[in-house]
């Protein structure tokens, strides 16, 4: 770890410590809050360690044509803004990042807007945004000589951790809630050789068990309480700005689960603004599922000052989290950027997911809360026709194929969830037909003669 260039600053009490002094659970010894990586040399306008924005913009683009392994990573290509490693030879990369920013033309048309984009983080090596954070934090684990890494997960973190640990030759331990994660993700953890324990509890219960384990054994914790994860997860902000010619969208809409990603992206935009790379911040909004909405409740009751954990229920299993670790960080980003925090129903999620699929951009249910959220904000008149919006799609559609198949077969939504939405859902459903093995039967399906 490069201790000369960074330190950890407690988000709660402001205490500063060096990276190697962090406790195994990454909680502040003074107040119990979480840390953020801070680069002291950047704050001085005339400081010698302050990166040169113009030169970096050129260099980062230039690296996209480079055959150097590190340059091919959409995280380490921006390494000047995450100088956390002592030796870049320790970086563990699967060429993550460099994900596409797609124009959502049909959604934009339907909403009467012309600038709606999807930053598809599902196009990462293990199919979710977690890869960008994992390359950063797992590289720190390797540099610090850990043999074991571990995480509690709703599935994607475990898939990413297992893959990066395997590349680095480290052992990995995964704790997941039994029967509550999508098969695609469980399959990945197994495939990449993690030791996977399915605990008879929910995600929040897995987090508690793991916190005790890392206090007992020398295991490097890779949940998003690990501040180095967020250094990687801030880089999509750089990519979004770069793709828009260093303009910032008016709005960024992010799903909220454990609530680290929204704050990581906020940090990315904030640092770019502080360094003079962009002129302003986007408004960052967090969307939760109605049955897993502790931050929404916190805003409604206490303006984001206190959070009461809830028992979480949603089919969007990635964000089935009732006691999110990084809620204070997310609340700050929403407040600082004048964003919104609100929830969407299971029906709204299912419809939005099918609409994204119909644009050729499938995603997992947790990602679809962003489009459902944009529709809500438009209906409430909070977003103007001319505003530019980026939706952060966090996971690949194949992560949770069961959900998609159930939707199209008509077995996902219950009658009360469907009520009032039957036509919308019917128009989106594309069930598979069981057809006799002859051309006429297939052609009759094509002509719409079979329902
Ligand atoms: N979308 C997907 C696909 C996720 O997997 C997660 C979180 C989120 C959104 C929410 O991001 O937690 O930073 O607010 N998944 C974690 C996991 C918790 O274990 O894979 P967040």
């Amino acid at each position: 770890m490069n201790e000369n260039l960074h330190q950890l600053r407690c988000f709660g009490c402001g205490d500063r410590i060096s990276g190697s002094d962090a406790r195994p659970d990454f909680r502040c010894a003074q107040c119990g809050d979480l840390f953020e990586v801070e680069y002291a040399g950047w704050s001085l306008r005339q400081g010698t360690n302050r990166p040169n924005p113009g030169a970096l913009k050129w260099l980062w683009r230039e690296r996209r044509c480079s055959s150097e392994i590190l340059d091919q990573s959409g995280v380490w290509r921006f390494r000047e803004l995450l100088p956390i490693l002592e030796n870049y030879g320790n970086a563990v990369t699967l060429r993550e990042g460099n994900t596409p920013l797609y124009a959502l033309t049909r959604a934009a048309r339907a909403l009467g807007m012309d600038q709606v984009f999807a930053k598809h983080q599902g196009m990462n090596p293990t199919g979710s945004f977690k890869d960008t954070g994992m390359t950063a934090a797992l590289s720190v684990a390797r540099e610090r000589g850990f043999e074991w890494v571990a995480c509690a997960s709703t599935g994607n973190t475990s898939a990413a951790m297992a893959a990066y640990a395997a590349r680095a030759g480290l052992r990995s331990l995964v704790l997941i809630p039994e029967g509550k994660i999508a098969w695609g993700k469980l399959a990945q953890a197994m495939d990449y050789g993690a030791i996977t324990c399915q605990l008879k509890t929910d995600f929040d219960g897995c987090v508690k068990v793991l916190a005790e384990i890392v206090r007992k054994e020398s295991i490097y914790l890779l949940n998003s309480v690990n501040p180095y994860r967020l250094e990687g997860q801030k880089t999509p902000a750089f990519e979004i700005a770069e793709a828009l010619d260093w303009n910032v969208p008016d709005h960024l809409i992010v799903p909220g689960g454990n609530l680290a990603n929204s704050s990581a992206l906020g940090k990315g935009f904030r640092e770019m603004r502080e360094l003079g790379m962009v002129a302003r911040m986007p408004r960052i909004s967090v969307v939760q599922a109605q049955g897993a909405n502790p931050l929404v409740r916190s805003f409604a009751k206490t303006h984001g000052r206190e959070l009461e954990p809830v028992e979480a229920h949603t089919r969007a299993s990635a964000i089935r989290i009732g006691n999110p670790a990084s809620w204070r960080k997310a609340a700050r980003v929403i407040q600082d950027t004048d964003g919104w925090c609100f929830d969407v129903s299971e029906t709204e999620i299912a419809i939005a997911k099918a609409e994204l699929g119909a644009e050729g951009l499938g995603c997992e249910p947790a990602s679809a809360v962003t489009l459902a959220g944009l529709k809500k904000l438009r209906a409430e008149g909070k977003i103007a026709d001319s505003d530019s919006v980026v939706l952060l799609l966090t996971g690949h559609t194949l992560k949770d194929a069961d959900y998609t198949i159930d939707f199209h077969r008509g077995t996902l939504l219950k009658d009360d969830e469907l009520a009032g939405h039957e036509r919308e859902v019917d128009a989106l459903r594309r069930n598979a037909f069981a057809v006799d093995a002859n051309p006429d039967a297939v052609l009759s399906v094509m002509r719409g003669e079979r329902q």
Side-chain angles (χ1 to χ4, degrees):
M1 239 179 347
N2 194 334
E3 307 260 22
N4 294 329
L5 295 182
H6 84 275
Q7 57 200 352
L8 300 183
R9 182 177 178 278
C10 174
F11 198 76
C13 67
D15 195 27
R16 291 187 168 88
I17 61 170
S18 78
S20 49
D21 289 340
R23 298 196 314 191
D25 63 358
F26 292 104
R27 294 269 170 193
C28 173
Q30 311 300 324
C31 73
D33 213 327
L34 300 176
F35 286 97
E36 230 179 26
V37 176
E38 184 182 67
Y39 306 100
W42 295 3
S43 51
L44 294 171
R45 283 243 167 252
Q46 308 299 329
T48 45
N49 286 332
R50 198 175 151 86
N52 173 336
L56 286 181
K57 287 178 187 176
W58 175 85
L59 178 65
W60 293 342
R61 185 153 293 192
E62 194 68 12
R63 282 181 181 151
R64 294 207 68 166
C65 309
S66 161
S67 55
E68 291 296 324
I69 286 172
L70 224 52
D71 292 347
Q72 289 181 0
S73 158
V75 170
W76 298 109
R77 161 166 99 85
F78 301 103
R79 54 192 173 272
E80 289 76 13
L81 292 201
L82 54 146
I84 51 179
L85 294 180
E86 185 79 50
N87 173 357
Y88 283 110
N90 287 320
V92 186
T93 173
L94 285 164
R95 319 298 187 273
E96 52 290 318
N98 292 327
T99 54
L101 184 72
Y102 296 116
L104 286 177
T105 38
R106 279 181 234 173
R109 203 177 315 126
L111 288 164
M113 304 178 67
D114 31 63
Q115 295 190 77
V116 182
F117 302 95
K119 175 71 175 163
H120 206 327
Q121 293 298 95
M123 301 299 183
N124 268 297
T126 78
S128 87
F129 72 102
K130 306 286 181 179
D131 293 344
T132 55
M134 208 47 78
T135 185
L138 199 125
S139 301
V140 171
R142 169 145 97 178
E143 190 159 89
R144 294 195 52 196
F146 280 89
E147 280 171 28
W148 277 91
V149 292
C151 71
S153 179
T154 56
N156 280 326
T157 301
S158 52
M161 182 190 74
Y164 282 83
R167 294 297 293 173
L170 304 188
R171 309 284 314 273
S172 65
L173 170 71
V174 164
L175 302 190
I176 50 171
E178 186 179 27
K180 291 177 190 151
I181 79 164
W183 289 119
K185 305 174 188 180
L186 177 61
Q188 286 180 292
M190 292 170 161
D191 207 22
Y192 305 138
I195 299 216
T196 303
C197 299
Q198 311 189 68
L199 305 191
K200 291 188 196 321
T201 177
D202 53 11
F203 169 79
D204 303 297
C206 292
V207 168
K208 276 192 201 138
V209 173
L210 189 59
E212 286 181 36
I213 293 176
V214 296
R215 272 184 233 123
K216 288 187 180 158
E217 295 289 329
S218 174
I219 300 178
Y220 195 67
L221 180 64
L222 282 174
N223 273 85
S224 53
V225 293
N226 180 323
Y228 299 106
R229 279 263 313 269
L230 306 198
E231 291 309 289
Q233 282 177 219
K234 75 184 181 187
T235 57
F238 308 156
E239 289 185 352
I240 291 170
E242 183 186 52
L244 299 175
D245 253 338
W246 303 104
N247 290 306
V248 163
D250 296 306
H251 300 270
L252 176 68
I253 304 183
V254 189
N258 216 15
L259 294 170
N261 202 34
S262 36
S263 53
L265 293 162
K267 187 173 193 278
F269 280 109
R270 196 182 69 224
E271 288 176 350
M272 277 194 287
R273 194 195 51 193
E274 283 167 7
L275 292 170
M277 293 192 144
V278 297
R280 59 186 177 91
M281 300 273 288
R283 291 175 87 158
I284 300 182
S285 297
V286 171
V287 189
Q288 296 198 293
Q290 232 156 50
N293 63 353
L295 190 66
V296 178
R297 287 166 188 248
S298 157
F299 268 91
K301 280 195 196 154
T302 68
H303 300 288
R305 277 193 292 274
E306 279 160 46
L307 180 133
E308 251 175 61
V310 302
E311 198 176 300
H313 300 280
T314 168
R315 293 189 189 95
S317 57
I319 51 173
R320 196 183 286 150
I321 296 175
N323 189 13
S326 298
W327 71 270
R328 279 186 210 281
K329 290 186 181 178
R332 176 84 60 84
V333 163
I334 295 164
Q335 283 158 347
D336 285 356
T337 66
D338 256 338
W340 294 280
C341 180
F342 59 101
D343 55 20
V344 291
S345 70
E346 294 294 301
T347 314
E348 289 169 319
I349 296 173
I351 291 172
K353 180 176 139 42
E355 286 169 344
L356 286 161
E359 286 222 30
L361 300 178
C363 63
E364 65 170 287
S367 311
V369 301
T370 55
L371 178 58
L374 171 61
K375 287 160 75 177
K376 210 165 209 174
L377 290 173
R378 273 295 278 173
E380 290 169 0
K382 289 179 172 155
I383 292 191
D385 300 3
S386 58
D387 281 356
S388 56
V389 179
V390 172
L391 309 179
L392 202 97
L393 302 186
T394 44
H396 198 280
T397 187
L398 293 177
K399 289 275 188 175
D400 193 353
D402 283 350
Y403 181 104
T404 310
I405 291 173
D406 287 347
F407 176 85
H408 289 286
R409 280 192 178 144
T411 54
L412 184 81
L413 298 171
K414 293 195 231 108
D415 288 348
D416 59 324
E417 292 172 319
L418 257 180
H421 298 279
E422 292 87 349
R423 282 175 145 208
E424 225 177 332
V425 169
D426 276 350
L428 287 162
R429 275 184 49 210
R430 294 284 180 273
N431 199 2
F433 295 89
V435 181
D436 287 339
N438 70 67
D440 287 340
V442 174
L443 289 171
S444 79
V445 172
M446 282 177 66
R447 286 189 217 106
E449 290 162 8
R450 291 234 350 231
Q451 291 305 312

